[in-house]
Amino acid sequence: MTKKQRRRGVAVLVLLLLAGWTLFRLMPFYLPSEAVPFNGVFWYNPYEGLTRGEGKWLRTNFHAHSNAWGKMTNGSKNTVSDIMAKYDSLGYDIIGISDYQHITATPCAVFIPVYEHGFNIMKTHQGCLGARKVYGCDVIIPQTRSQKQHIINILKERSELVVLNHPGWMGGYSVRNMQQLTGYDLIEVLNDFWKSEDLWDVALSSGKPVMMIAGDDAHNVFKPTDIARDLTMIYVRSGQLKPQHIYDALKNGTAYGLEVTRRAARSMVPEKRRGLDSLPVLQSCIVRGDSLCVLLTGEALEYTFIGQDGIILSTVSENTAEPDKDLPIIYKLQPQDTYVRVRILLRDSSLLYLNPVMRTAHPGMKPPMPEARKRQLFTIFAQ
Ligand SMILES: [Zn+2]
């Protein structure tokens, strides 16, 4: 055996040991969470509280990378103050810096501790919002569903909210995963690199009550196309600006995603800011009897109502909408509808993604997320 072959043998052995150790650490096997569509005679409406009292929409981003890891990631030029300054001049209210495996403090009026978990080859990443402690392990090879479930469970113990980041990117999460995984809170539907709207519908159609989040995943804030492309707008009542209010709003769905137009994505900061400031916001979204009524503070070109299995239920374009702009756009909820969400095309061709109204057995209560259940036979290996 030559020296080169010996070295290669040792490297393979080390890799196998590492993979084996990782697999052992993540040994629990989980039953797939059943895909059962939402049901019940009531509707859970995440925007119920909008009509009660004064409140405001916050402009937020929880996905940006600083130079925490030096030149190891492509966030190498971004300092924390660069990121804060850029987003501040774009009128953002909350900025979270989501470095990999590291909670970075931000000098923000509301500090939300966040980080991005995951260093595997398939980009199976998770966003941890309200993170208390970083979880340092991951499975670097393509992960099984049970491994993904196990990681979600551990992250959930250490964070307020767990997000499946850019799930569609590189097959980080498959369609089947979205049907069967449980225990997380949010899906990053909009990300500068990848849109995962279809996978969101898979999760919702399988009875997983997950709300959406949008993030820039910015690695270089000096590049116009890296910032203010995918925003999360969060509604808070006046005086409710503590981190817990933000977590509650995201979890309850009192937020929506905004995808800015291609042209606005390429523009410079002042123009971007003007564009964002001029966009209408959600004024109300009400379920009254069998009607879902949506009203913006300004005009829109088209409202698309989407339901079970991502099917388009109805499209209302400006021509067919009520000529009176103060009247809401209405969709008649059908007995077979399990959830209905609305995507709104604005005049400048930006898109607004509302969280869904969903059927529920208990008035005012979001349907529960099913519990992750371990397969008994393998539980012995769990700890
Ligand atoms: Zn990522």
Side-chain angles (χ1 to χ4, degrees):
M1 191 186 275
T2 64
K3 226 174 169 180
K4 201 174 167 188
Q5 282 172 325
R6 244 197 328 268
R7 269 210 303 269
R8 195 177 297 160
V10 170
V12 169
L13 189 67
V14 168
L15 271 178
L16 283 174
L17 281 172
L18 203 67
W21 177 80
T22 314
L23 284 170
F24 181 76
R25 283 292 306 244
L26 302 167
M27 202 57 191
F29 282 67
Y30 288 85
L31 291 163
S33 167
E34 276 178 61
V36 181
F38 303 121
N39 56 73
V41 294
F42 303 102
W43 284 97
Y44 172 73
N45 175 13
Y47 304 107
E48 194 75 51
L50 249 67
T51 44
R52 288 196 296 267
E54 286 286 297
K56 70 177 254 185
W57 287 101
L58 305 177
R59 205 174 281 174
T60 71
N61 179 47
F62 299 100
H63 203 161
H65 296 269
S66 78
N67 56 356
W69 291 95
K71 301 213 178 292
M72 279 172 69
T73 71
N74 51 353
S76 58
K77 281 186 194 156
N78 284 355
T79 64
V80 169
S81 51
D82 288 336
I83 297 172
M84 300 307 288
K86 282 282 178 195
Y87 279 102
D88 190 51
S89 49
L90 284 159
Y92 278 65
D93 299 283
I94 305 178
I95 304 133
I97 297 185
S98 57
D99 287 321
Y100 295 109
Q101 304 298 131
H102 183 263
I103 300 170
T104 301
T106 51
C108 207
V110 189
F111 170 53
I112 304 288
V114 297
Y115 76 95
E116 183 164 22
H117 176 271
F119 42 91
N120 56 81
I121 57 170
M122 299 302 283
K123 288 199 179 287
T124 305
H125 292 173
Q126 302 84 14
C128 299
L129 271 68
R132 292 178 286 274
K133 202 172 167 201
V134 170
Y135 178 53
C137 294
D138 198 19
V139 179
I140 52 171
I141 51 177
Q143 298 172 6
T144 64
R145 176 186 46 79
S146 281
Q147 289 166 339
K148 291 175 190 176
Q149 186 63 66
H150 192 57
I151 290 171
I152 289 170
N153 294 356
I154 292 174
L155 297 179
K156 186 66 190 162
E157 286 167 10
R158 296 164 183 228
S159 306
E160 289 288 331
L161 302 172
V162 175
V163 188
L164 301 192
N165 275 359
H166 45 66
W169 196 8
M170 280 183 67
Y173 297 89
S174 66
V175 167
R176 188 169 272 218
N177 284 166
M178 301 311 283
Q179 290 166 337
Q180 299 179 339
L181 286 174
T182 185
Y184 57 97
D185 304 288
L186 305 165
I187 292 181
E188 192 185 38
V189 174
L190 303 175
N191 171 293
D192 284 11
F193 295 97
W194 206 270
K195 193 157 142 179
S196 304
E197 192 181 4
D198 49 348
L199 290 183
W200 187 27
D201 281 310
V202 173
L204 291 171
S205 302
S206 311
K208 312 297 184 292
V210 286
M211 301 300 177
M212 71 98 65
I213 193 165
D216 277 334
D217 205 346
H219 285 79
N220 179 4
V221 290
F222 298 101
K223 217 169 108 189
T225 49
D226 257 35
I227 49 170
R229 287 180 59 182
D230 294 299
L231 299 87
T232 306
M233 301 293 288
I234 300 177
Y235 185 83
V236 287
R237 290 205 218 148
S238 55
Q240 297 198 334
L241 249 181
K242 297 228 165 71
Q244 195 58 50
H245 297 129
I246 305 302
Y247 306 140
D248 289 346
L250 284 168
K251 192 167 183 166
N252 296 336
T254 322
Y256 64 83
L258 178 64
E259 185 184 17
V260 305
T261 161
R262 212 169 248 273
R263 189 185 55 76
R266 292 203 187 99
S267 59
M268 302 309 284
V269 167
E271 200 181 328
K272 268 182 196 282
R273 173 76 192 258
R274 273 197 298 279
L276 291 176
D277 288 348
S278 68
L279 293 179
V281 294
L282 180 66
Q283 184 166 323
S284 65
C285 175
I286 299 166
V287 176
R288 195 179 290 134
D290 63 354
S291 296
L292 173 63
C293 316
V294 182
L295 183 63
L296 295 190
T297 56
E299 290 176 11
L301 288 179
E302 193 174 83
Y303 290 70
T304 305
F305 294 85
I306 298 158
Q308 183 71 23
D309 300 321
I311 285 169
I312 293 179
L313 305 167
S314 165
T315 303
V316 182
S317 63
E318 194 189 37
N319 297 338
T320 52
E322 292 286 339
D324 186 341
K325 299 299 174 212
D326 290 334
L327 287 176
I329 302 297
I330 296 172
Y331 169 75
K332 288 272 172 213
L333 294 160
Q334 301 297 312
Q336 69 273 21
D337 287 334
T338 58
Y339 74 91
V340 179
R341 63 179 186 87
V342 194
R343 186 178 61 216
I344 305 167
L345 176 65
L346 301 177
R347 281 209 160 275
D348 77 337
S349 76
S350 293
L351 286 163
L352 206 143
Y353 296 76
L354 298 193
N355 277 316
V357 297
M358 346 169 145
R359 283 201 179 271
T360 176
H362 306 285
M365 281 179 67
K366 194 170 86 162
M369 187 64 140
E371 263 189 49
R373 290 178 302 139
K374 281 179 187 169
R375 277 189 204 278
Q376 287 306 313
L377 181 62
F378 297 96
T379 306
I380 191 168
F381 296 112
Q383 304 304 327

